[in-house]
């Protein structure tokens, strides 16, 4: 599958990012920035071919449930998406072409 298959004329992809830290936490900001940078390196740009919705749970269990439900509702259409976890952030995004984005650890 080529780059054009991922970007050419298809609907915008959506990624939900649920971060377990507060929005003003420097570690959380660094993790989100690294995630976005990795997406950009793979050819994805927020607002151009992907939309990134971020929620900050601030280590509150009630926020996890609330924001996870919000993000899932935003991304649920024809197919369930990918769910990746690691480093204190969970990304739940809808994509039927998962091989277009390579996650690097």
């Amino acid at each position: 599958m080529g780059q054009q298959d991922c970007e050419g004329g298809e609907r915008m992809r959506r990624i939900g990012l649920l971060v377990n830290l507060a929005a003003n936490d420097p570690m959380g900001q660094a993790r989100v920035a690294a995630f976005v940078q990795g997406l950009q390196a793979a050819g994805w740009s927020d607002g151009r071919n992907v939309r990134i919705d971020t929620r900050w749970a601030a280590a509150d269990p009630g926020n996890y449930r609330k924001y996870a439900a919000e993000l899932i509702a935003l991304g649920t259409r024809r197919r369930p998406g990918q769910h990746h976890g690691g480093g204190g952030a969970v990304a739940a995004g809808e994509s039927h072409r998962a091989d277009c984005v390579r996650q690097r650890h």
Side-chain angles (χ1 to χ4, degrees), residues 7 19 32 38 52 62 70 72 82 87 93 95-96 104:
E7 295 179 1
V19 184
V32 170
I52 303 171
E70 264 182 36
I72 289 168
Q82 292 184 26
S95 173
H96 68 276
R104 296 185 179 118

Side-chain angles (χ1 to χ4, degrees), residues 52-75:
I52 303 171
D53 296 298
T54 305
R55 301 293 186 272
W56 300 89
D60 180 329
N63 285 343
Y64 295 133
R65 287 185 289 279
K66 174 183 165 186
Y67 294 144
E70 264 182 36
L71 293 169
I72 289 168
L74 288 172

Side-chain angles (χ1 to χ4, degrees), residues 5-64:
D5 293 330
C6 294
E7 295 179 1
E10 293 187 27
R11 64 182 163 75
M12 186 175 295
R13 305 292 186 224
R14 189 168 213 149
I15 296 173
L17 192 60
L18 178 56
V19 184
N20 68 347
L21 302 170
N24 63 353
D25 185 285
M27 180 64 75
Q29 291 291 330
R31 288 176 179 168
V32 170
F35 181 76
V36 170
Q37 185 177 20
L39 287 174
Q40 289 172 340
W44 296 93
S45 177
D46 190 18
R48 183 174 58 83
N49 57 1
V50 69
R51 177 173 173 175
I52 303 171
D53 296 298
T54 305
R55 301 293 186 272
W56 300 89
D60 180 329
N63 285 343
Y64 295 133

